[in-house]
Amino acid sequence: ADYIEALFGIWEKAFGTCNLEKLGEQSFNSDVATPSYLWEGEILEKSYYRDGSPDEGGRSDCLFVSISDVHVCLSVLRFKDEAKFAEPGAEQGVEGWRVETEERGDYVSNTPVKLADFITDPDATIQRFRDDAKRMIEALATD
């Protein structure tokens, strides 16, 4: 329960402080918010549809928080469809964020914080994540 509370808390204190309405309508899939999914996936995901879902040819900006046994970080990606990510746009040039690659495509993550450092000083991590999130949301909103 503490782990799930931490995921939601970090998300709200970072991304939740931004003008998310600029990204479109929020789509929160409850299938990916079950305790077992959050625990096994080590992530909390919320999507924003600017002009419809990706299945309808729309744009989806997905905002993630992940907490592993090693680090804590924020990530942003766009789905082209369920199996593939869209190419990053303006988000790939945002200060404090870097492009990551996996088999489904590229996405961006902020510089991770070691879990031990987050536990020692959560306020410093939250402040940096809030600043990173604000820069990212501004880039996404103008893209």
Side-chain angles (χ1 to χ4, degrees):
D2 290 339
Y3 176 77
I4 293 169
E5 186 175 310
L7 279 172
F8 278 92
I10 294 168
W11 200 100
E12 287 300 324
K13 291 174 184 172
F15 290 121
T17 64
C18 302
N19 294 324
L20 296 172
E21 61 277 353
K22 293 179 179 182
L23 301 182
E25 182 179 337
Q26 181 183 4
S27 173
F28 185 63
N29 183 349
S30 60
D31 292 342
V32 298
T34 64
S36 63
Y37 183 91
L38 295 169
W39 181 261
E40 291 170 16
E42 300 178 333
I43 61 169
L44 171 64
E45 163 193 349
K46 294 187 183 184
S47 297
Y48 291 82
Y49 296 160
R50 191 167 301 181
D51 49 8
S53 76
D55 295 334
E56 300 165 346
R59 174 175 163 175
S60 169
D61 294 312
C62 301
L63 313 177
F64 292 84
V65 170
S66 64
I67 303 175
S68 71
D69 57 349
V70 178
H71 69 269
V72 179
C73 75
L74 306 177
S75 300
V76 174
L77 63 87
R78 291 184 182 158
F79 281 105
K80 184 174 185 176
D81 55 43
E82 285 190 35
K84 200 120 175 81
F85 302 156
E87 290 295 318
E91 67 268 26
Q92 65 187 332
V94 176
E95 177 190 343
W97 293 77
R98 63 178 190 232
V99 176
E100 306 275 351
T101 301
E102 69 163 62
E103 66 273 0
R104 295 184 290 174
D106 293 343
Y107 64 99
V108 294
S109 289
N110 72 339
T111 303
V113 171
K114 291 180 183 176
L115 185 58
D117 293 342
F118 171 69
I119 292 169
T120 301
D121 191 358
D123 292 337
T125 299
I126 293 299
Q127 182 58 51
R128 183 168 69 79
F129 281 14
R130 183 178 297 130
D131 294 343
D132 288 348
K134 285 180 181 177
R135 285 192 304 277
M136 177 55 65
I137 297 307
E138 286 303 315
L140 291 171
T142 59
D143 188 20

